[in-house]
Amino acid sequence: MIMRGIIMITEMLSLTFMQRAIAASLMVAILGGYFGAFVVQRGLSFLGNGLAHAAFGGVALGILLRQEPLYMAVPFTLIVSLLIVWLKDHTLLGSDTVIGILFALSMAMGSIFLSMTPGYAGDAFGYLFGSLLSVTKADLWVTAGVMVLALGTIPAWGRWASATFDRELAMAEGMPCQRDDYVLAAALAVTTVVSMKVLGITLVAAFLVIPSASARLVSRTFASMTLLGMVFAVVGSLLGLVVSYSVDWPSGPSIILVQTAMFAACMLVGRRG
């Protein structure tokens, strides 16, 4: 049994598309764990869901224009994310209402774009549910670029953490909370888009939430929650890819199933602690 598993993993690592999928999933996992801590602690899981479905509109637009869907989804999702923050700050509407409106608008636009491209609707399937075969070398470079940008936000992590736990105090101390909201929303938008190839649009939001929620159950500080969330995301992604390859399941659902099992384990450990 062990020997069979070693042979399978060796075979898996020898395949170019799996090497790309593993590299992409590792980078996506680090990004998801890093930003997912803020999603969980600030209660922004609905924002993640809204951005994932906004990305669907961008993908559909890319298919309609015969362009690379990923490149169309990035600006499309960025605009939606910034519009969510702007409307929340400049209207009396709650964030959940704003997200719900733009969520529905993006899905409607995506459906219309696909209806205008007969014969190409199947191209969206890999983006909806994730596909190991669809990860390209260009995707890896884009994801690596996002990783570099994410590293640039590390100096702001302390401000973001302070605003997460006591926004009024952070603003009283002169922290640019409103500007940081736009930066964080943009970072979540880009992370959502680069995660689509491995996870699929339907499961990106869960990927942002589950590892960090697991970490929250067993962490005592926000810093440890962030680091542990990244670890859980990486481990869950790698194990999920192994499951996906071994039983021929879509990569996104496989990863989420593994991460949900990890969440259940953390819940048991947290209760005992």
Side-chain angles (χ1 to χ4, degrees):
M1 189 65 144
I2 296 176
M3 184 59 68
R4 184 184 298 177
I6 293 173
I7 293 173
M8 185 196 70
I9 291 175
T10 303
E11 178 186 278
M12 191 175 111
L13 293 175
S14 69
L15 299 172
T16 302
F17 77 89
M18 282 304 305
Q19 293 170 3
R20 290 175 180 170
I22 291 170
S25 64
L26 285 174
M27 289 188 285
V28 163
I30 293 171
L31 287 168
Y34 179 69
F35 292 115
F38 295 101
V39 171
V40 170
Q41 198 64 44
R42 293 189 179 195
L44 297 176
S45 57
F46 192 40
L47 173 61
N49 203 36
L51 292 178
H53 288 80
F56 172 73
V59 166
L61 179 60
I63 294 173
L64 172 65
L65 299 177
R66 306 291 193 269
Q67 302 294 322
E68 167 56 46
L70 182 66
Y71 301 150
M72 297 303 298
V74 170
F76 193 95
T77 311
L78 263 175
I79 291 171
V80 171
S81 69
L82 298 178
L83 191 56
I84 287 171
V85 177
W86 188 88
L87 287 173
K88 181 175 68 70
D89 290 341
H90 292 82
T91 68
L92 298 176
L93 299 174
S95 58
D96 56 339
T97 302
V98 172
I99 294 168
I101 292 170
L102 294 178
F103 172 116
L105 175 62
S106 299
M107 289 298 292
M109 292 175 67
S111 299
I112 291 171
F113 293 150
L114 286 181
S115 72
M116 296 167 64
T117 52
Y120 286 85
D123 295 349
F125 185 84
Y127 288 93
L128 286 172
F129 302 103
S131 173
L132 297 177
L133 295 173
S134 66
V135 178
T136 65
K137 196 175 290 186
D139 295 331
L140 294 180
W141 281 111
V142 171
T143 308
V146 175
M147 281 280 294
V148 172
L149 292 176
L151 289 175
T153 69
I154 291 177
W157 186 89
R159 294 202 312 270
W160 291 358
S162 297
T164 296
F165 288 95
D166 196 333
R167 184 180 179 85
E168 291 184 1
L169 178 60
M171 293 181 69
E173 292 179 352
M175 295 182 187
C177 295
Q178 192 172 44
R179 186 190 69 189
D180 285 345
D181 286 346
Y182 283 99
V183 175
L184 183 57
L188 286 172
V190 178
T191 298
T192 297
V193 173
V194 299
S195 303
M196 290 188 308
K197 284 294 187 76
V198 175
L199 295 161
I201 292 170
T202 56
L203 295 173
V204 169
F207 184 77
L208 285 170
V209 171
I210 296 175
S212 295
S214 301
R216 186 180 185 185
L217 293 174
V218 294
S219 300
R220 295 182 181 274
T221 66
F222 188 64
S224 63
M225 172 184 164
T226 303
L227 292 173
L228 199 54
M230 293 165 68
V231 171
F232 285 164
V234 167
V235 173
S237 295
L238 292 178
L239 292 178
L241 289 179
V242 171
V243 171
S244 173
Y245 180 79
S246 62
V247 298
D248 196 25
W249 287 352
S251 54
S254 300
I255 290 171
I256 298 302
L257 284 175
V258 171
Q259 290 184 342
T260 303
M262 294 171 66
F263 173 79
C266 288
M267 191 165 60
L268 292 174
V269 172
R271 283 182 177 177
R272 288 176 183 174

